[in-house]
Amino acid sequence: EAGVAQSPRYKIIEKRQSVAFWCNPISGHATLYWYQQILGQGPKLLIQFQNNGVVDDSQLPKDRFSAERLKGVDSTLKIQPAKLEDSAVYLCASSFPRGGGYTGELFFGEGSRLTVL
Amino acid sequence: KNQVEQSPQSLIILEGKNCTLQCNYTVSPFSNLRWYKQDTGRGPVSLTIMTFSENTKSNGRYTATLDADTKQSSLHITASQLSDSASYICVVSGSGGYNKLIFGAGTRLAVHP
C-alpha cells in the first residue's frame, strides 16, 4: 500500500516570498491533516479536512496560510507571504474515519522542510 | 486546558539498555492514547494505540502502559538498539464529537554504542 506522498521535501525561500506544498493521502482515507512542526516541538494542527470540507482550521494563520482539498483527494498548503517564523517541517497525514467520533490511526508523510531566510 | 507533557525532554542510553519514557495528560474526556516514533527527517510512525480499557500494549521491544485514573502513560523500550534513536511523541485523543488529537513535545532518545 502506497503511503502519504508529499512534495517538495525541501524548500528554501526568502521572507515575503510564497511557497506551496502538495500532499496525496493514502487511497480511501477521507480525513487529511496538515501539521506544522517547529524544531524540537510536537506537531501543531493547521487544518483538518473531511473529504473536501474543513473540519478544523482554528490554528491556521489565515492572513498568510491557505489550504484546499479539491475533489476530496490531494491537497495543497500555501504560504504567502512567508515569514521567518514559518521555518518548520510541514507534515501531511491521513486517516480512515472509524465512526462514532473515533479518530482513526494517522499515517504521516515524510514532511516538507521549509527554510525562510 | 487539554495538555500532554512528556519527560524527560531528552535521554541518552547505551545500546542494549532499557529505558522508560513518561507521558502525563490532562485531556478530558479521554478516548485513546498513542505513541509515535519519529526518526530524524522523517514523519512520525505509529507504535501503539490504547483505549481507556487497555492498560498495556506491546509492539516488539516497545511496551506502552496506561493508567487512566492518574492520566499517565509510559513507553518502555527493552534491549535498545541504535535504530531506536529517535523522538517519541505521545498523542492523546478526547472523546465525543470531533476528537482533536493533542500532541506532546516528544522525548528525544539517543542510543550510543
Side-chain angles (χ1 to χ4, degrees), chain B:
Chain B
K1 182 179 179 183
N2 290 326
Q3 285 186 314
V4 175
E5 295 185 351
Q6 294 187 243
S7 62
Q9 189 172 34
S10 62
L11 181 64
I12 300 174
I13 62 173
L14 292 177
E15 185 178 14
K17 298 297 186 182
N18 303 335
C19 69
T20 300
L21 314 180
Q22 299 290 343
C23 173
N24 296 335
Y25 62 93
T26 59
V27 178
S28 181
F30 171 85
S31 174
N32 60 78
L33 185 145
R34 311 160 187 227
W35 283 95
Y36 286 85
K37 177 187 179 187
Q38 185 174 25
D39 292 319
T40 300
R42 310 291 294 273
V45 174
S46 179
L47 292 175
T48 63
I49 299 177
M50 288 185 294
T51 62
F52 183 89
S53 60
E54 297 172 300
N55 55 23
T56 187
K57 204 159 197 178
S58 292
N59 178 354
R61 294 179 297 101
Y62 300 100
T63 300
T65 64
L66 172 65
D67 186 333
D69 292 331
T70 61
K71 297 185 178 180
Q72 296 180 325
S73 175
S74 64
L75 181 68
H76 186 74
I77 304 174
T78 303
S80 61
Q81 300 176 359
L82 298 179
S83 59
D84 293 330
S85 295
S87 288
Y88 292 85
I89 303 173
C90 176
V91 185
V92 179
S93 175
S95 64
Y98 161 50
N99 302 320
K100 191 167 186 174
L101 298 176
I102 311 298
F103 284 74
T107 291
R108 186 157 191 83
L109 174 67
V111 180
H112 289 182

Side-chain angles (χ1 to χ4, degrees), chain A residues 29-84:
Chain A
H29 282 194
T31 311
L32 185 147
Y33 312 76
W34 281 104
Y35 288 91
Q36 180 192 58
Q37 187 175 27
I38 294 173
L39 187 64
Q41 299 181 17
K44 180 185 95 172
L45 179 68
L46 293 176
I47 189 166
Q48 177 180 340
F49 292 95
Q50 181 76 12
N51 296 306
N52 59 354
V54 175
V55 174
D56 185 351
D57 63 356
S58 58
Q59 297 191 91
L60 186 73
K62 298 180 184 65
D63 57 335
R64 299 183 299 105
F65 286 65
S66 65
E68 60 182 11
R69 191 184 184 195
L70 301 176
K71 302 179 183 178
V73 181
D74 55 354
S75 175
T76 56
L77 175 70
K78 297 179 181 178
I79 307 174
Q80 181 181 15
K83 292 185 175 181
L84 296 178

